[in-house]
Amino acid sequence: MNAETLEPMERLLAERACERLVVEFVHRLDLGDPGSVADLFTQDGTWEWPAGDRRIAGHDALRIYFGNRPADRLSRRICTNILVTVTSADTAAATTYFTTYRVDGYSEGLVPPRPPVQVGHYEDTFRKVDDTWLLTTRTLFLSFAGPTERLGGPGQS
């Protein structure tokens, strides 16, 4: 079955499931268990940044990579313009714009606003496995990037 023969409701449900994965990904990084991000990928899934030759492949490697996030990191990612294209009954692709706000050395309280450290877009592919949509690839493209600030110590925000 190709994308043109999908029923409208089937297409809508596939689009929504893929959008949900995009949002769940950043939710787990920012507010949940970063290591569990690997569970959103297929077993052979990959995460890559072409501008830096970084490529992480497979569940175990993804779990280690995302699980190594600094414990004192405070981050919030804002995703928008999520455009999902269903390519078949079991595959889809998406482009999502994102902005990342992030500091290291966080302990508690409010942090005064700072400029974002990253602005760019993700290009994703998805595959339906046993009736569950999962990320197959996520490629990150940065348009703007800077260093992650480290807060100075207790009381500094």
Side-chain angles (χ1 to χ4, degrees):
M1 178 177 286
N2 61 34
E4 290 79 34
T5 61
L6 288 176
E7 294 293 324
M9 184 56 74
E10 190 177 8
R11 178 185 305 280
L12 183 64
L13 290 172
E15 289 172 354
R16 179 62 191 117
C18 294
E19 288 172 2
R20 170 87 189 191
L21 279 170
V22 168
V23 175
E24 183 71 21
F25 183 99
V26 297
H27 176 80
R28 289 183 185 201
L29 281 179
D30 290 343
L31 299 174
D33 173 16
S36 73
V37 166
D39 298 334
L40 303 176
F41 284 84
T42 57
Q43 287 296 320
D44 61 345
T46 62
W47 159 264
E48 56 190 314
W49 298 27
D53 270 348
R54 190 180 313 176
R55 184 175 191 274
I56 316 300
H59 259 206
D60 292 340
L62 288 164
R63 191 171 314 286
I64 291 166
Y65 176 77
F66 289 113
N68 281 334
R69 172 191 158 109
D72 64 353
R73 176 164 285 171
L74 172 65
S75 63
R76 293 295 182 270
R77 288 166 183 82
I78 300 166
C79 291
T80 187
N81 301 354
I82 303 170
L83 180 60
V84 176
T85 303
V86 178
T87 53
S88 78
D90 297 324
T91 60
T95 301
T96 303
Y97 287 51
F98 71 89
T99 303
T100 303
Y101 296 86
R102 179 174 61 215
V103 295
D104 286 343
Y106 176 77
S107 59
E108 63 181 7
L110 293 175
V111 176
R114 282 147 168 82
V117 296
Q118 295 177 334
V119 177
H121 74 279
Y122 299 119
E123 290 183 6
D124 298 322
T125 61
F126 306 90
R127 186 169 64 231
K128 193 174 183 182
V129 178
D130 298 328
D131 290 327
T132 301
W133 284 93
L134 297 169
L135 281 157
T136 305
T137 64
R138 168 156 276 192
T139 306
L140 181 146
F141 296 92
L142 292 176
S143 300
F144 305 95
T148 298
E149 179 183 353
R150 173 159 278 294
L151 300 177
Q156 182 192 354
S157 354

